[in-house]
Amino acid sequence: MKILTAEFLRSCVKPEDFPKDRLPEIAFVGRSNVGKSSLINSLLNRKKLVKVSRTPGKTRAVNFFHVATADPRLKNFYLVDLPGYGYAKASKSVLAEWGPMIEQYLKARPELRAVFLLLDARGTEDHDASTYAWLCDHVQRPVLVLTKSDKLSRSERGASLAAVRASFRLSEADRCAPYSSVTHEGRDELWQAIRDLVKRDQ
Ligand SMILES: Nc1nc2c(ncn2[C@@H]2O[C@H](COP(=O)(O)OP(=O)(O)OP(=O)(O)O)[C@@H](O)[C@H]2O)c(=O)[nH]1
Ligand SMILES: [Mg+2]
């Protein structure tokens, strides 16, 4: 994908902060530390556009990145980095703010064309399954991405994909693909998924 520009727009902590220009939005959801911010950097071929941290809970607001590409179907849109869930060390008050913020964003955006749910290729947790179910019921069926695939061997990757497909009861048509923000494995496939989903209702 030829990226023309990729810029941080702003960090939103309440719905009034969300942009009002109606551009298509693509959101990334997943547990804290799963690799959401790294994946956005990898997709955009930037090293430090989005802050990445070894400490879980780095992304605490809804962060919008404005992107322009050379693809006529993806001229102008936002990638949206959501705070991670399941970070037990965050203070209680921060935790109480997180859930509603994510919920408010996901439920209130007609601009939202695609939701990617990121899962660690090395194993999922109960919270991942409940988030998947919640997204299917309240927002839209998310596309699953198995992150950090570089940490697994080829055969382990196959086993991980099969395990997720079975436990999330995916159909043939449901996408689920490995991704590595280190080797960029899966990047072209992810852009293809974004293209297909953005085109869907334009
Ligand atoms: N080996 C490997 N490490 C990765 C990959 N993606 C992310 N990481 C590492 O995992 C850690 C967390 O990555 P982030 O991208 O900050 O994760 P996040 O989901 O945005 O985390 P929060 O903002 O806390 O929700 C960092 O140390 C990254 O370098 C990957 O594909 N491969
Ligand atoms: Mg992050």
Side-chain angles (χ1 to χ4, degrees), residues 31-38 51-59 83-84 148 150-151 179-182:
R31 90 167 91 113
S32 196
N33 215 39
V34 74
K36 297 174 293 297
S37 301
S38 304
K51 281 188 200 116
V52 167
S53 167
R54 236 172 261 217
T55 319
K58 183 77 192 166
T59 313
K148 309 193 186 183
D150 56 283
K151 294 193 183 232
Y179 199 98
S180 167
S181 300
V182 175

Side-chain angles (χ1 to χ4, degrees), residues 181-200:
S181 300
V182 175
T183 65
H184 307 299
E185 178 196 12
R187 183 160 63 183
D188 292 345
E189 292 80 359
L190 204 76
W191 274 119
Q192 189 55 49
I194 292 174
R195 262 190 218 105
D196 293 347
L197 290 160
V198 168
K199 198 175 74 177
R200 189 183 51 182

